[in-house]
Amino acid sequence: MRVLVVAAPLLGHVFPLMPLALALREAGHEVVVATGGEALRVRDSGLRVEDVVPANVRFGPIALRIMLAHPMVAKREMRGSGRLDFVSRLFGVVGNAMTAPLQAFARSWKPDVVVHEPLAAAGSALGVPSIVHDVSLFDGLELTAAVGARMKAGVRSPATVLRTAPPSLAEFPGGERMRFVPYSGGGEVPRWLVEPSGKPRILVSRSTAPGPGAGRMMAAVVKAAEQVDAEFVLVRPERTEGLPGNVRTVGWVPIPRVLPFCDGIVHHGGAGTLLGALAAGVPQLVEPGPGDRTVHATAITGRGAGLRAEPREITPELLTRLIEDSKLQRAAGEVRAEIAAMPSPAQVARRWESLWHRGHDSRDRLPEQ
């Protein structure tokens, strides 16, 4: 069977799809990943990857145009209360740009089924049965519908959705459960980073997507770090000089391989990092912000598996609590067990035929958005 996997041109959007894509290949299916931009790095996986995003598609200018045209939408988005209004406009533009290249590739390669992440709604505009692959704590069907409504092409309702969110954090009707498996590609990991340090270790990461204020949280942690009895590891910091003695730095590393050797993580609230920390059972401190970040920060604190704070709220006491609070550790461990109990991508791939036939049989009755 030919399976086309579609993601928006961002690493945080394509990485969560890769465990299933690789499992499908392992199960004997032909798999092609269609994306663009920085997400083309997944070519390192050995899968065939098609570039379906025109070179002139750049998120910064698109976002700026939307903000200028819709200032109130932009204001709500920056406060973290925009829900789907801004994101649907942004990815609707990107989806429109991806549609024609995707349709051209689909006509030549003739996939049997398309798997796409919710913000790559163009995957459901190819006249082929489609399956949505959730990648966050939002409802993937709702996201797909919101983006599709902004697009020119006819985006059809997918046959089903693969639910990767732990039920205790986000529960949505319908779909098929699948375990979230962290993926961040290849890369070298320094030996010292996969060995015990003698002190609690706190990983501090930031978004792979560009945006204002991306380094503020890291700077706030560095300022407080000297008064915390722990080792801090900054991933891709903006500066590496003049740091306290208990702060170390690394470049790009595959974070899923590092997390088992950490006692806590501070991050920007991106879905991949959040779910990866949950899968490892590591307490996390999440910075609320635009897009899905405030929703993620609220969900993680509501579950008791982490803390939320803005950069100005970072204190030595808060960072100490992250690694010493037994309630956080217990809740994070509970969610880890919950994730581990969900069907793996390999298990889903082994019963792929039944999922596909469901989509194939319903192809003629999928409603237009």
Side-chain angles (χ1 to χ4, degrees):
M1 182 182 300
R2 291 185 167 188
V3 184
L4 181 60
V5 177
V6 183
L10 293 169
L11 286 175
H13 291 239
V14 71
F15 275 171
L17 308 183
M18 294 306 293
L20 177 61
L22 292 167
L24 287 168
R25 181 183 65 179
E26 191 68 21
H29 301 289
E30 289 186 70
V31 180
V32 172
V33 178
T35 185
E38 63 180 14
L40 296 174
R41 279 180 49 183
V42 296
R43 284 174 173 152
D44 294 343
S45 68
L47 289 175
R48 178 181 172 184
V49 179
E50 288 290 320
D51 187 351
V52 295
V53 181
N56 62 351
V57 173
R58 293 184 295 150
F59 281 91
I62 296 171
L64 181 59
R65 288 197 296 271
I66 294 171
M67 289 178 175
L68 292 175
H70 306 279
M72 293 307 297
V73 170
K75 188 174 182 180
R76 289 193 296 271
E77 177 69 9
M78 295 308 295
R79 286 201 308 256
S81 59
R83 289 296 296 168
L84 307 184
D85 204 1
F86 181 86
V87 74
S88 64
R89 295 173 191 272
L90 176 63
F91 285 93
V93 173
V94 176
N96 282 332
M98 292 175 65
T99 299
L102 264 176
Q103 289 175 336
F105 178 71
R107 283 194 297 269
S108 64
W109 192 62
K110 295 181 173 54
D112 298 300
V113 64
V114 178
V115 178
H116 68 86
E117 52 98 359
L119 297 181
S124 282
L126 306 182
V128 177
S130 60
I131 295 173
V132 171
H133 185 315
D134 271 352
V135 296
S136 71
L137 300 185
F138 277 87
D139 181 351
L141 293 181
E142 184 183 4
L143 272 174
T144 299
V147 175
R150 303 278 186 191
M151 290 174 55
K152 298 173 184 176
V155 174
R156 309 181 79 181
S157 294
T160 190
V161 56
L162 299 173
R163 303 290 193 188
T164 57
S168 66
L169 273 87
E171 184 79 74
F172 305 111
E176 305 279 338
R177 295 217 178 275
M178 187 177 75
R179 183 188 313 161
F180 176 85
V181 175
Y183 179 92
S184 59
E188 295 295 322
V189 179
R191 184 166 182 173
W192 61 265
L193 196 47
V194 289
E195 294 177 345
S197 68
K199 284 188 174 183
R201 177 179 287 150
I202 299 177
L203 199 68
V204 186
S205 74
R206 59 190 180 94
S207 177
T208 56
R216 287 184 302 174
M217 177 60 86
M218 197 170 278
V221 171
V222 169
K223 186 176 180 180
E226 200 166 18
Q227 300 176 57
V228 182
D229 187 22
E231 176 191 69
F232 290 82
V233 180
L234 311 183
V235 181
R236 299 179 301 107
E238 293 178 340
R239 69 182 181 95
T240 58
E241 299 177 354
L243 300 174
N246 63 335
V247 177
R248 306 180 73 170
T249 66
V250 292
W252 177 274
V253 290
I255 287 179
R257 286 169 53 191
V258 175
L259 277 171
F261 301 91
C262 298
D263 300 277
I265 180 171
V266 179
H267 64 94
H268 64 290
T273 307
L274 179 134
L275 289 167
L278 288 172
V282 176
Q284 51 194 298
L285 192 158
V286 180
E287 177 186 8
D292 54 8
R293 300 176 188 183
T294 294
V295 170
H296 289 160
T298 301
I300 203 71
T301 53
R303 181 59 179 83
L307 307 169
R308 62 176 282 169
E310 296 181 7
R312 58 184 172 80
E313 298 172 316
I314 295 295
T315 63
E317 293 75 21
L318 188 66
L319 294 172
T320 299
R321 182 186 170 196
L322 177 65
I323 53 177
E324 292 187 356
D325 190 329
S326 61
K327 292 181 179 178
L328 294 179
Q329 295 165 356
R330 183 167 59 251
E334 290 169 354
V335 179
R336 175 181 57 192
E338 185 181 359
I339 292 173
M342 297 168 73
S344 69
Q347 290 172 310
V348 172
R350 284 195 292 270
R351 57 186 182 86
W352 193 250
E353 296 284 348
S354 65
L355 286 176
W356 176 78
H357 282 303
R358 185 177 310 166
H360 186 269
D361 294 343
S362 63
R363 176 169 51 188
D364 294 333
R365 57 181 174 81
L366 295 177
E368 300 288 343
Q369 288 293 339

